[in-house]
Amino acid sequence: MASGGGGVEEVSNKQVILKDYVSGFPKESDMYLNASGRIKLKVPEGSNAVLVKNLYLSCDPYMRPRMKQPIPGNETYIEPFKPGSPIVGNGVAKVLDSGHPDFKKGDLIWGKTGWEEYSLITAVQTLFKIHHTDVPLSYYTGILGMPGMTAYAGFYEICSPKKGERVFISAASGAVGQLVGQFAKLLGCYVVGSAGSKEKVDLLKNKFGFNEAFNYKEEPDLHAALKRYFPEGIDIYFENVGGKMLDAVLLNMRAHGRIAVCGMISQYNLEHPEGVHNLMTVVWKRVRIEGFLVSEYHHLFPKFLEFVLPYIKEGKITYVEDVAEGLESAPAALIGLFTGRNVGKQVVVVARE
Amino acid sequence: MASGGGGVEEVSNKQVILKDYVSGFPKESDMYLNASGRIKLKVPEGSNAVLVKNLYLSCDPYMRPRMKQPIPGNETYIEPFKPGSPIVGNGVAKVLDSGHPDFKKGDLIWGKTGWEEYSLITAVQTLFKIHHTDVPLSYYTGILGMPGMTAYAGFYEICSPKKGERVFISAASGAVGQLVGQFAKLLGCYVVGSAGSKEKVDLLKNKFGFNEAFNYKEEPDLHAALKRYFPEGIDIYFENVGGKMLDAVLLNMRAHGRIAVCGMISQYNLEHPEGVHNLMTVVWKRVRIEGFLVSEYHHLFPKFLEFVLPYIKEGKITYVEDVAEGLESAPAALIGLFTGRNVGKQVVVVARE
């Protein structure tokens, strides 16, 4: 095989490396910055990979399960990270060199990339080309990327929403929740969100236009809190957290309610997930609980963009990001998701262009 | 008001009375036989009730939650029983007198009646007239009654079954489970059932034609047991028991699997239901969990009879009943459901005609 890049200069390529599999609560020290990495800014000859410069990296809750040691016979849907290798996640990047006919130098893309300055991406089929650049590029890690598609598919495809229905969203100021709430409001639903600080609750009510919001950390009785906001019960629950909140929601579901299970962030750092005790209410109330993965809805992406871009441009949908500066800030930013440190979608800027 | 029944002789009417609300495991002594009840065998003048002689009474798991003291704000779908009054349940009965144009003396009916020799039924809209009497009448407490409809609606309407899919049924020799398994076999599915004794496991394999069956009490590791019978995972789980079995099933579901939640008999006698820990797999495997109540499928009853009667007559579907003789045996029969004493559908014969 031609080695390619003959005579091409190597450059420095800082990387965020996962040290080892993580159990319990992840720490910054579970990752480290490898400052001595180097890369040739050229696709190997004969390869159909693309070589990109990473601009924005996305911190997402689903990345936590990827840090766990896989248990044979109990695999999740997605490969674990490789200890000793860079973290992998969604990001926005600029193509510097391409061996693939669909991409050329200068193209902007979003999709699976590495936590490093430059990445050689071989799974090119997972990349989306960015055509609309009159919006912040970082949006392609959030509202215009995986979290946006998650909110769209989860709400419209799984929740079967109808105007006037009562919608509850947990982790509601997060990358996905803030959008689900706004989609539900646009449809004419009554929308309540929970979050973990006064600042986030204020955002939900004042910036995203939720009807109501509450700080779950200040509610000793979640069942009572939900009863207060949903005296007639919940039609739709968009589940991001799991555990005690799910248990309380189950007691408050209305007949024929739907629970779209997007994730369960409260459980990801526990060795043994908490038990959910009130599942019998799915019979009494004829509830549907349905899990979904955004990866099965990629075909809806063009339709989604057509739907959401006008709302963004008209200011009818807004999006809040929490931006960490520099690759070295990435480990702390990722871990902050699990303490709720981030306000809005957590992004890491590696480079702005 | 006309009192009716002037000159009509009163007869003795033995009744099974619920003493008080029950917590924990129910005991025979939570009910008592009232031998001094009396009733006039005539509908009060001007009433559109029917007066029936009860023939067969049905013991069903859903009756246990009706014995609980209702918790304000946490109601189940169905009224609790009234302490001091007869137990209420499904039964087969003969009309002795009718104030309702749809029913006349001599008609056979099935539906909600009392645990007593004779009942005055005012909620006549809940009764079904029996038109086919070339099958055992007791079948209208089982295969041709509520459990039959439950199996039919739960399997065909909730499970979205397809030929060749892998189906698991818990409490599989019970009133509902034995039918779901036979429906699934008729459709060309691979069917495995769990039950609580060797006798029941033999029934599943030899009488109902399940591909495999196992005694859950002899499996120290339910996850491993399911893995053994479903090396490639479960497409459809018909859930009758809840608790640990549900947790093990969740770990063994295939992508896009469906769980129809019919009931959770293992939980009904617990003050606090067990926790279910593996719900995150509904995301990884994109599983749908859906509860249902047969009462919402009554409109399908004629279609169901048309479907099932020929199979019964041709011997392609079989049904096993556990018949207790006499009203006085009813409390023990009901409680036997929760220890798994019954083999097949538990019926109580009050009178044979």
Side-chain angles (χ1 to χ4, degrees):
Chain A
M1 296 292 291
S3 72
V8 174
E9 206 186 349
E10 274 192 350
V11 298
S12 164
N13 187 25
K14 280 187 287 187
Q15 301 180 307
V16 175
I17 307 285
L18 179 69
K19 249 187 223 165
D20 200 355
Y21 293 122
V22 177
S23 65
F25 208 95
K27 304 174 297 296
E28 278 192 60
S29 59
D30 291 323
M31 295 164 266
Y32 68 91
L33 196 78
N34 171 25
S36 63
R38 298 189 67 77
I39 191 169
K40 286 184 179 165
L41 297 184
K42 191 105 188 100
V43 169
E45 213 164 299
S47 156
N48 63 0
V50 296
L51 191 294
V52 303
K53 178 181 185 190
N54 291 308
L55 304 179
Y56 298 94
L57 298 175
S58 181
C59 295
D60 296 292
Y62 81 90
M63 297 168 78
R64 174 64 190 86
R66 298 192 71 180
M67 294 178 162
K68 278 188 195 170
Q69 181 147 32
I71 302 165
N74 187 12
E75 291 81 10
T76 63
Y77 71 106
I78 199 169
E79 269 190 298
F81 291 141
K82 282 201 191 73
S85 292
I87 302 284
V88 174
N90 280 308
V92 174
K94 190 160 73 176
V95 175
L96 299 187
D97 187 30
S98 173
H100 195 284
D102 291 352
F103 298 91
K104 62 176 200 303
K105 185 175 170 176
D107 281 350
L108 291 162
I109 59 100
W110 75 267
K112 288 272 169 286
T113 187
W115 278 29
E116 52 193 350
E117 291 175 286
Y118 303 95
S119 295
L120 181 71
I121 303 176
T122 52
V124 176
Q125 72 283 2
T126 65
L127 302 178
F128 296 86
K129 207 186 296 197
I130 292 174
H131 298 289
H132 304 273
T133 54
D134 51 350
V135 287
L137 270 185
S138 58
Y139 275 17
Y140 289 93
T141 68
I143 183 169
L144 297 177
M146 188 276 285
M149 265 306 294
T150 301
Y152 181 74
F155 186 61
Y156 290 104
E157 302 290 315
I158 307 289
C159 293
S160 314
K162 288 185 286 294
K163 184 177 172 175
E165 287 196 315
R166 300 153 183 86
V167 177
F168 176 57
I169 302 156
S170 54
S173 69
V176 175
Q178 57 175 295
L179 287 175
V180 174
Q182 292 180 81
F183 293 164
K185 282 301 297 177
L186 284 169
L187 190 65
C189 295
Y190 167 79
V191 181
V192 179
S194 65
S197 73
K198 183 178 181 309
E199 180 185 8
K200 293 177 185 180
V201 167
D202 287 346
L203 265 185
L204 292 175
K205 291 203 279 196
N206 302 325
K207 191 161 179 83
F208 302 131
F210 283 46
N211 296 82
E212 298 284 351
F214 66 89
N215 180 347
Y216 71 90
K217 293 179 180 168
E218 291 183 347
E219 297 290 345
D221 181 344
L222 292 172
H223 176 30
L226 290 169
K227 205 87 188 160
R228 194 163 74 232
Y229 293 109
F230 295 96
E232 296 176 74
I234 298 166
D235 293 298
I236 291 173
Y237 173 45
F238 198 95
E239 165 66 305
N240 289 312
V241 302
K244 289 178 184 65
M245 185 65 90
L246 177 55
D247 242 349
V249 165
L250 283 166
L251 294 179
N252 285 279
M253 290 302 286
R254 276 164 70 85
H256 297 287
R258 286 83 69 199
I259 298 178
V261 190
C262 177
M264 296 188 170
I265 194 171
S266 76
Q267 306 298 300
Y268 295 162
N269 300 311
L270 305 176
E271 276 310 273
H272 300 287
E274 286 179 282
V276 171
H277 299 265
N278 298 321
L279 282 165
M280 189 56 200
T281 58
V282 308
V283 180
W284 305 145
K285 298 294 176 61
R286 294 135 283 164
V287 168
R288 166 162 61 82
I289 300 177
E290 193 162 351
F292 69 101
L293 292 176
V294 66
S295 51
E296 295 190 334
Y297 296 92
H298 280 169
H299 59 284
L300 296 180
F301 190 62
K303 193 177 150 197
F304 165 61
L305 281 187
E306 212 173 285
F307 166 85
V308 79
L309 280 169
Y311 282 125
I312 296 174
K313 289 175 187 167
E314 294 161 21
K316 288 188 180 156
I317 286 184
T318 185
Y319 201 62
V320 170
E321 295 178 323
D322 193 326
V323 181
E325 290 290 335
L327 192 61
E328 49 287 336
S329 70
L334 178 57
I335 283 158
L337 291 181
F338 304 102
T339 57
R341 198 191 67 167
N342 60 307
V343 177
K345 164 69 197 175
Q346 182 67 58
V347 188
V348 175
V349 189
V350 184
R352 284 202 155 73
E353 58 179 347
Chain B
M1 295 292 289
S3 72
V8 175
E9 208 187 346
E10 275 193 350
V11 298
S12 164
N13 188 26
K14 279 189 286 186
Q15 302 179 306
V16 175
I17 308 286
L18 179 70
K19 250 188 223 163
D20 200 354
Y21 293 123
V22 176
S23 66
F25 209 94
K27 304 174 298 297
E28 279 192 58
S29 60
D30 291 323
M31 295 164 265
Y32 67 92
L33 195 78
N34 172 26
S36 65
R38 298 189 67 77
I39 191 169
K40 284 183 181 166
L41 298 184
K42 192 103 189 100
V43 169
E45 213 164 296
S47 156
N48 63 359
V50 295
L51 191 293
V52 303
K53 180 183 184 186
N54 292 308
L55 304 179
Y56 299 94
L57 298 175
S58 181
C59 296
D60 296 294
Y62 81 90
M63 297 168 78
R64 174 65 189 86
R66 298 191 72 181
M67 295 178 160
K68 278 189 193 166
Q69 181 148 32
I71 302 164
N74 188 11
E75 292 80 10
T76 61
Y77 72 107
I78 200 171
E79 268 190 298
F81 291 141
K82 281 199 193 73
S85 293
I87 301 285
V88 174
N90 280 308
V92 173
K94 189 161 74 177
V95 176
L96 299 186
D97 189 28
S98 173
H100 194 283
D102 291 353
F103 297 92
K104 62 175 196 305
K105 187 177 168 174
D107 280 352
L108 291 163
I109 59 101
W110 75 268
K112 288 269 170 288
T113 188
W115 278 28
E116 53 192 348
E117 291 176 285
Y118 303 95
S119 294
L120 181 71
I121 302 175
T122 52
V124 176
Q125 72 283 359
T126 65
L127 301 179
F128 295 85
K129 210 187 295 198
I130 292 175
H131 297 289
H132 303 273
T133 55
D134 52 349
V135 288
L137 271 186
S138 58
Y139 275 17
Y140 289 94
T141 67
I143 183 171
L144 298 177
M146 187 276 285
M149 265 305 296
T150 301
Y152 181 75
F155 186 62
Y156 291 103
E157 303 289 316
I158 307 290
C159 293
S160 316
K162 288 185 287 292
K163 185 177 170 174
E165 286 194 316
R166 301 153 182 86
V167 177
F168 177 58
I169 302 158
S170 54
S173 68
V176 175
Q178 57 175 294
L179 288 174
V180 175
Q182 292 179 81
F183 293 163
K185 283 301 298 178
L186 284 169
L187 191 65
C189 296
Y190 168 79
V191 181
V192 179
S194 65
S197 74
K198 182 179 182 309
E199 181 185 7
K200 293 178 186 180
V201 167
D202 288 346
L203 264 185
L204 292 175
K205 290 202 278 196
N206 303 324
K207 194 163 178 80
F208 302 131
F210 284 47
N211 295 82
E212 297 285 353
F214 66 90
N215 180 350
Y216 70 92
K217 292 178 181 169
E218 291 182 348
E219 296 291 346
D221 181 344
L222 292 172
H223 176 29
L226 290 169
K227 205 89 188 160
R228 194 163 73 232
Y229 293 109
F230 295 97
E232 296 177 74
I234 298 167
D235 292 298
I236 291 174
Y237 174 44
F238 198 95
E239 163 67 304
N240 289 312
V241 303
K244 290 178 183 64
M245 185 64 90
L246 176 56
D247 242 349
V249 165
L250 282 166
L251 293 180
N252 285 280
M253 290 301 289
R254 276 164 69 85
H256 297 287
R258 286 84 68 201
I259 298 178
V261 189
C262 177
M264 296 189 169
I265 194 171
S266 76
Q267 306 298 299
Y268 296 164
N269 300 311
L270 305 176
E271 278 308 275
H272 299 287
E274 286 178 283
V276 171
H277 299 264
N278 298 323
L279 282 166
M280 190 57 199
T281 58
V282 308
V283 181
W284 305 145
K285 298 295 176 60
R286 295 135 284 164
V287 169
R288 165 162 62 82
I289 301 177
E290 192 162 353
F292 69 101
L293 291 176
V294 65
S295 51
E296 294 189 333
Y297 297 91
H298 280 169
H299 60 284
L300 296 180
F301 189 62
K303 192 177 150 197
F304 165 60
L305 281 186
E306 211 172 287
F307 165 85
V308 80
L309 279 168
Y311 282 124
I312 295 173
K313 289 173 187 170
E314 294 161 21
K316 289 188 178 154
I317 286 184
T318 185
Y319 200 63
V320 171
E321 296 178 324
D322 194 325
V323 180
E325 290 289 334
L327 192 60
E328 49 287 339
S329 69
L334 179 57
I335 284 158
L337 291 181
F338 305 102
T339 57
R341 199 192 66 167
N342 59 306
V343 178
K345 164 67 196 175
Q346 182 65 58
V347 187
V348 175
V349 188
V350 184
R352 284 202 154 75
E353 58 178 346

